Amino acid sequence: MKITSADFIKSAFKPKDYPPDMLPEVAFSGKSNVGKSSLINTLVNRKGLARTSSTPGRTQSINFFRINERISFVDLPGYGFAKVPLHIKQQWKPMVESYLKTRESLCLAVVILDIRREPSRDDIDLVEWLTFYDIPILAVGTKIDKISKNQRSKQKAIVKKSLQLEESQLVMFSAVTGEGKEELWKRIGAKLKP
Ligand code: GTP
Ligand code: MG
């Protein structure tokens, strides 16, 4: 995918503050520190577009981006990390859920997982929740640069089974090497077509 523009639009906590619902939207979700913001930056070739950090809990609001004036990307706060203060964590769940439930332009929820780990209860709950609300899911196993080819296929099978995914619903990815980027764009593109 050739990127001609990638712009930060706004940050929001509540539906009334979301930007207008005009372009097909892709939301990036997953555990805190898994690499959601890094994945967005790699996809659009902009290192600092979505803010990343080695400290979990970097993204605390819903961040909207516009890509090529055609697609909207949403960086969601991550779940499941102990270091984030409790009062913030308690705000995240309803914030993310009301986004996912109310956003009409949402056409794909990308669920990002650290390929080295077995999916957590939170990951499984998220996939079940999205399925219940009929929101199309694409899972991404990220940080594949950290493991061998052999381990990749082993971990891929574990994730697929645990989340009950079809082969076409799981892409392997690395924000460090860019592996999987074209594949991911292809799957996103397929969802954006009417
Ligand atoms: P929160 O906003 O806190 O929920 O985190 P996030 O999921 O947005 O993660 P972020 O992109 O900030 O990345 C977290 C850490 O993982 C950073 O130190 C990144 O450099 C690192 N990271 C992200 N993707 C990869 C990857 O594919 N490979 C490797 N080796 N490191 C990665
Ligand atoms: Mg983030």
Side-chain angles (χ1 to χ4, degrees):
M1 168 72 92
K2 187 174 182 307
I3 307 298
T4 51
S5 66
D7 302 298
F8 170 70
I9 302 303
K10 77 181 293 194
S11 238
F13 291 92
K14 293 196 178 78
K16 71 171 179 50
D17 300 321
Y18 299 167
D21 213 348
M22 275 153 31
L23 295 171
E25 198 156 274
V26 180
F28 297 85
S29 59
K31 194 180 167 184
S32 196
N33 213 41
V34 75
K36 298 174 292 298
S37 303
S38 304
L39 180 143
I40 292 178
N41 291 338
T42 301
L43 271 181
V44 302
N45 312 321
R46 300 281 193 282
K47 271 208 165 80
L49 184 68
R51 288 168 75 189
T52 65
S53 163
S54 53
T55 313
R58 167 75 265 177
T59 310
Q60 301 195 352
S61 55
I62 300 178
N63 292 290
F64 294 84
F65 302 89
R66 189 158 53 220
I67 317 301
N68 288 0
E69 303 292 333
R70 248 200 83 220
I71 313 165
S72 172
F73 272 10
V74 171
D75 189 11
L76 294 170
Y79 46 78
F81 219 91
K83 278 185 194 155
V84 175
L86 186 65
H87 72 277
I88 294 182
K89 271 196 289 191
Q90 282 168 342
Q91 286 163 9
W92 285 2
K93 202 167 189 253
M95 181 166 80
V96 170
E97 287 185 357
S98 66
Y99 164 78
L100 292 168
K101 262 199 276 198
T102 61
R103 192 69 169 163
E104 285 192 9
S105 51
L106 179 65
C107 51
L108 181 66
V110 178
V111 176
I112 301 159
L113 303 124
D114 185 328
I115 197 63
R116 298 168 297 171
R117 320 252 178 266
E118 239 181 80
S120 66
R121 186 68 246 171
D122 284 335
D123 297 323
I124 296 167
D125 286 349
L126 174 64
V127 168
E128 285 178 352
W129 193 93
L130 291 166
T131 305
F132 179 82
Y133 284 100
D134 250 339
I135 300 167
I137 300 165
L138 179 65
V140 175
T142 193
K143 306 196 183 181
I144 57 166
D145 56 283
K146 295 208 181 218
I147 58 173
S148 70
K149 292 244 154 68
N150 264 345
Q151 282 173 303
R152 289 179 197 181
S153 47
K154 207 176 121 221
Q155 291 305 106
K156 190 178 176 188
I158 291 173
V159 170
K160 228 176 96 182
K161 182 154 181 250
S162 153
L163 299 179
Q164 299 180 8
L165 301 167
E166 312 271 331
E167 181 68 27
S168 65
Q169 282 182 300
L170 178 59
V171 177
M172 305 290 268
F173 184 86
S174 165
V176 170
T177 64
E179 270 174 278
K181 185 170 136 176
E182 287 314 313
E183 183 63 30
L184 188 48
W185 265 121
K186 220 165 80 189
R187 310 275 173 103
I188 291 173
K191 280 286 166 212
L192 298 178
K193 290 199 187 95

